[in-house]
Amino acid sequence: MLDDFMVRATLAGVGVALAAAPLGCFVVWRRMAYFGDATAHAAILGVALSLALSMSIFAGALVVALLMAVTVSTLSDRGYAMDTLLGVLAHSALAVGLVAVSFISGVRIDLMAYLFGDILAVSKADLLVIWGGAALVVGLIGWRWSALLTATLNTDLAYASGLQPRREQLVLTLSLAITVAVAIKVVGALLIAALLIIPSAAARPLSRTPEGMALVAAGIGTIAAAAGLYGAYLFDTPAGPSIVCVAALGFVLTSLFQAVKASQA
């Protein structure tokens, strides 16, 4: 079954969707969209280092994404405006990564595959990495769910409950870095943040509880992955952007549903 490239691609898309769903909810709740974007852009620098050092793309992207996330968290506590800091680091990391890739000789590089994904070229080994990373992210978020939710809702309440909000932030940071590393093959560095945010935003009008929102987001992400791949196959469009387009359509539909529901109330 895994010899069929469409089956491998679908499984890869579903794996990333399952990892991105619960994490994306926290990104939406904490208004960390730009934070996720900066981490994803940094992954291109990780790709360049991986190719230069002949190491795993996943490992390089994970290390650099994690360093970016930790750097942002550290500098934000030292008086830098968060939006300015993220803008500087995100675009600097992307530019440095693209320049670094141009200096690598003897390696054939399909830059578009890293920017917008190459899900149709996912191998069995890639599937193992994607699903292993997804399981780790879901496990981390599930393990710290209550603590993460409390720290997200109210920092003072978290301290009163004996929690350390910075530790919970570190869990989110690590989960985000892992998700970026496994998703770069599927949707590319420029669209990872979209796959984090759009299904979660689309799930909000259909959910009454945080847990329900995470589950609905996972469902929307899974449908987007499968339908986007099918659409790309039918219309010969780029697979990664097609997946994001289907997720965006889901957001439009749920937003219309919310508007209609509000008008009838």
Side-chain angles (χ1 to χ4, degrees), residues 155-213:
T155 303
D156 293 332
L157 179 61
Y159 279 119
S161 302
L163 300 173
Q164 294 295 328
R166 286 192 63 83
R167 182 179 61 189
E168 308 312 323
Q169 175 69 30
L170 182 60
V171 172
L172 283 179
T173 298
L174 178 60
S175 300
L176 182 60
I178 295 171
T179 302
V180 166
V182 300
I184 195 168
K185 184 80 172 181
V186 176
V187 291
L190 297 185
L191 296 176
I192 292 171
L195 203 58
L196 280 168
I197 298 163
I198 297 176
S200 300
R204 177 175 276 177
L206 306 179
S207 312
R208 294 187 176 182
T209 65
E211 294 80 6
M213 182 170 164

Side-chain angles (χ1 to χ4, degrees), residues 12 16 24 38-40 44 51 57 60 63 91 95 126 135 158-159 165 175 210 225 228 233 237 240-242:
V16 171
T39 307
I44 288 295
L51 295 173
I57 297 294
V63 170
H91 297 101
D126 291 330
Y159 279 119
S175 300
Y233 178 77
T237 55
S242 297

Side-chain angles (χ1 to χ4, degrees), residues 41 43-45 47-48 51 94-104 107-118 184 187-190:
H41 285 180
I44 288 295
L45 181 56
V47 169
L51 295 173
L94 180 60
V96 171
L98 293 174
V99 170
V101 165
S102 69
F103 282 104
I104 300 173
V107 178
R108 184 179 178 184
I109 302 169
D110 183 3
L111 199 54
M112 294 294 287
Y114 295 115
L115 292 176
F116 298 104
D118 192 12
I184 195 168
V187 291
L190 297 185

Side-chain angles (χ1 to χ4, degrees), residues 100-151:
V101 165
S102 69
F103 282 104
I104 300 173
S105 59
V107 178
R108 184 179 178 184
I109 302 169
D110 183 3
L111 199 54
M112 294 294 287
Y114 295 115
L115 292 176
F116 298 104
D118 192 12
I119 190 173
L120 297 179
V122 167
S123 65
K124 294 178 183 178
D126 291 330
L127 270 182
L128 186 61
V129 170
I130 289 170
W131 276 89
L136 184 56
V137 169
V138 172
L140 277 172
I141 298 297
W143 171 49
R144 302 301 302 169
W145 179 265
S146 295
L148 284 168
L149 200 55
T150 302

